[in-house]
Amino acid sequence: MYPNFLAHIKKLISLNAEEEELLLSGIKTLNVKKKDFLLKEGQVCKANYFVEQGLIRMYFINEKGIEQVTQFALENWWIADYMSLTTQGSSHFYIQAVENSTIIAIEHHKQEKLLEKIPQLERYFRLMMQRAYAAAQMRVKFFHVHTKEENYRHFISMFPQFVQRIPQYMLASYLGLTPEYLSELRKKQP
Amino acid sequence: MYPNFLAHIKKLISLNAEEEELLLSGIKTLNVKKKDFLLKEGQVCKANYFVEQGLIRMYFINEKGIEQVTQFALENWWIADYMSLTTQGSSHFYIQAVENSTIIAIEHHKQEKLLEKIPQLERYFRLMMQRAYAAAQMRVKFFHVHTKEENYRHFISMFPQFVQRIPQYMLASYLGLTPEYLSELRKKQP
DNA sequence: CGGAATCTTGAAAGTGTTCAAATCAAGTGG
DNA sequence: CCACTTGATTTGAACACTTTCAAGATTCCG
């Protein structure tokens, strides 16, 4: 049960049997179906979500009514609107399953309690946040370097297996271009 | 001494006198002049930097030889290449002072030791990383919503006082447009 | 099978860049 | 404190990249 979740934590910190039980008592497992939502715009982000299995995306809807994908989360990644989670203010994002997925959810107040009782968890989450922020830094660079065409080609060469798990229009949105233009690029050179 | 630094930490966690002394013994104060570097591409990012006073920018040089600013750090913000800092691999970024600045530096291995001896610091840095990541999430959204002109107008209306501290070409670079185009936008409507 | 979602096509219209040159501002040394 | 050199901003024209819109073709899922 939760093979990825516990293994992922234990790779970074050690937990005794009691702590492990405490941790497991504070989480919820969610089996979400493709297109189910973990968060919608206007709601408060209630939990920090770990992708045990599956694929999740985060997006928002811009003023023209078009979905803009801002990030994906694969197995072993955490996802949440951390601004909303931290301040408990209402979110500007949607978080939705791209595939049927198994999610471990830690609600905000439960996470606070767990952090008090298992101080090592602060370290684990610091490392996770640092990893996520480091990835965000690299991503900002990535999107600045090239033209959109170059970004696209670079992306599919870096993550070929991942690209096959998402529809093209989501990839287009994530890369900041229109589905039509992406289609044109593929015609030019698949 | 270090009025911002200690106050910032004590707002989030409590330290006794001994811990405070230990912390101060593990940091270095750097007085850097405008255009001095804290990090250059190819080097390993040796420390986590807190801006006690001043203004710092992070940028990289793209394949055309042009500087691309990816972030600024004002008073009370931490800045580092967290990918390089974490892996101790070589960095793809430059970190440079925009103004004469006072910086608190915690070297990587010193930070690890401090975290062992003062476990509450894990919490402090988790909160800092979470804040930084939350800001990065909002920023990705920001850059997706509008045209570049709208981004520019939105940015200067949000941070009017900050805009006056940086040259236009840095702002242009940060917003992902050319100095020439920014100049055109200003002519149209200052 | 049928309807909805996704992907493709092509033409017209922008948005933003490039390049070269002129102007303006600022820092340094004499 | 001025003269000089370098750095920063502005201009304008030509061009490139990307979007928009409308429609048709294709695929997916119940």
Side-chain angles (χ1 to χ4, degrees), chain A residues 97-184:
Chain A
V98 177
E99 304 172 350
N100 295 342
S101 304
T102 303
I103 304 298
I104 312 289
I106 305 192
E107 289 172 19
H108 182 61
H109 62 281
K110 287 246 177 81
Q111 178 164 341
E112 286 297 315
K113 281 181 192 163
L114 286 171
L115 288 166
E116 276 174 33
K117 291 176 185 163
I118 314 174
Q120 308 96 288
L121 275 185
E122 289 279 10
R123 178 173 176 82
Y124 172 75
F125 282 110
R126 176 182 65 81
L127 290 167
M128 283 305 98
M129 287 296 109
Q130 194 162 319
R131 182 179 79 157
Y133 184 52
Q137 286 186 319
M138 294 310 290
R139 188 176 160 214
V140 170
K141 177 178 180 187
F142 176 80
F143 279 91
H144 264 297
V145 188
H146 310 285
T147 66
K148 293 188 171 178
E149 174 165 4
E150 287 168 331
N151 283 347
Y152 165 66
R153 307 229 179 271
H154 188 212
F155 191 85
I156 58 174
S157 73
M158 294 248 291
F159 310 106
Q161 77 304 342
F162 169 66
V163 169
Q164 298 182 347
R165 291 173 70 175
I166 56 172
Q168 268 184 56
Y169 75 93
M170 280 190 199
L171 178 58
S173 175
Y174 179 73
L175 294 173
L177 36 82
T178 59
E180 292 93 335
Y181 188 50
L182 180 58
S183 181
E184 202 175 312

Side-chain angles (χ1 to χ4, degrees), chain A residues 23-37:
Chain A
L23 174 59
L24 291 180
S25 75
I27 68 178
K28 283 182 184 165
T29 306
L30 309 175
N31 285 301
V32 291
K33 293 207 170 141
K34 186 171 173 172
K35 302 205 174 170
D36 281 356
F37 288 93

Side-chain angles (χ1 to χ4, degrees), chain B residues 108-118:
Chain B
H108 182 61
H109 62 281
K110 286 248 177 77
Q111 179 166 341
E112 286 298 315
K113 281 181 193 161
L114 286 171
L115 288 166
E116 277 174 33
K117 290 177 188 163
I118 313 174

Side-chain angles (χ1 to χ4, degrees), chain A residues 39-41 58-59 70 81 91-94, chain B residues 137 141:
Chain A
L39 173 69
K40 290 186 183 180
E41 183 179 357
M58 186 163 168
Y59 69 92
T70 60
D81 173 351
S91 175
H92 301 105
F93 294 97
Y94 296 81
Chain B
Q137 285 185 322
K141 178 176 180 191

Side-chain angles (χ1 to χ4, degrees), chain A residues 67-81:
Chain A
E67 292 178 4
Q68 295 276 2
V69 178
T70 60
Q71 65 188 273
F72 293 104
L74 281 165
E75 285 83 7
N76 290 329
W77 276 88
W78 290 87
I79 192 166
D81 173 351

